[in-house]
Amino acid sequence: MISPWRIVRFDEILERVERKFVIDDAEAYKCVGVRWYGQGAFVRQQLVGADITRKDQWRIEPGDVVYNKLFAWKGAFAVADGSVLGCIVSDKFPTYRLASDRVDSRWFKWYFRTENIARQAQDLSKGAAAISKLPLNPPDFWKLTIPLPPLAEQRRIVARIEELAAKIEG
């Protein structure tokens, strides 16, 4: 029997979204960061527009897949949740939407916690000799892969992982 699981490139299940806008110097903005090792997006700081050097920024929404170009090799990938609604990211944090008819966002969230994604990102990252200057640029982001079972199987596996995670935390 042929396994229904496939290894799928990100360009097959994600699309780039750009909600670009220009910063207003008088407004306050919550800026998003992405934790290493798949630990999620978070509000890094709040700044007044006048204190933001680059005036072109992007809005992020819950459900967006976002990563830190400079630290992808450390697994700095996330599926944004409601805590970052209305927040902004710079061009160092490209944003994407999942094909929700093929991928459960929680499957992606758990996958981002694996060593595999950080290793792939490191292999695809290019840059200067300093390890902190090893960006994963958007054209190479598309080459990342994820094991993808059918949607119902993703949901079953995620439910079990979350059940076990809750027991561990308890």
Side-chain angles (χ1 to χ4, degrees):
M1 179 175 122
I2 297 175
S3 172
W5 286 57
R6 295 183 40 230
I7 302 297
V8 178
R9 281 175 42 131
F10 279 18
D11 61 355
E12 295 179 54
I13 53 175
L14 291 163
E15 74 174 275
R16 182 79 186 261
V17 291
E18 294 197 25
R19 299 180 200 93
K20 188 175 182 178
F21 72 102
V22 177
I23 292 290
D24 178 335
D25 284 349
E27 293 290 319
Y29 298 93
K30 291 180 181 176
C31 306
V32 170
V34 177
R35 291 184 183 92
W36 293 357
Y37 310 114
Q39 296 300 310
F42 68 102
V43 177
R44 187 179 76 242
Q45 62 188 343
Q46 182 165 324
L47 295 172
V48 175
D51 294 333
I52 299 173
T53 306
R54 296 195 72 174
K55 298 305 176 189
D56 288 338
Q57 298 286 315
W58 288 260
R59 292 194 196 284
I60 188 169
E61 293 182 1
D64 285 350
V65 171
V66 62
Y67 78 101
N68 181 328
K69 290 190 328 187
L70 300 178
F71 291 100
W73 62 276
K74 285 283 203 180
F77 296 91
V79 177
D81 61 21
S83 70
V84 297
L85 177 63
C87 296
I88 64 170
V89 292
S90 73
D91 62 338
K92 302 291 186 246
F93 297 86
T95 329
Y96 303 83
R97 293 301 288 182
L98 277 168
S100 59
D101 61 329
R102 296 184 59 203
V103 186
D104 187 302
S105 63
R106 297 170 310 151
W107 178 260
F108 242 64
K109 179 186 113 175
W110 285 102
Y111 181 65
F112 287 153
R113 293 182 176 197
T114 69
E115 259 185 60
N116 185 41
I117 190 68
R119 194 173 318 115
Q120 284 186 65
Q122 186 169 5
D123 290 346
L124 291 168
S125 295
K126 298 173 179 77
I131 198 87
S132 64
K133 302 284 188 195
L134 197 62
L136 177 67
N137 291 311
D140 292 314
F141 173 83
W142 291 126
K143 299 173 187 174
L144 295 171
T145 62
I146 183 172
L148 198 64
L151 198 51
E153 183 74 358
Q154 292 171 44
R155 290 180 178 142
R156 186 190 68 72
I157 293 168
V158 166
R160 182 68 176 139
I161 290 169
E162 289 176 348
E163 177 185 325
L164 293 171
K167 285 182 181 180
I168 291 168
E169 283 188 33

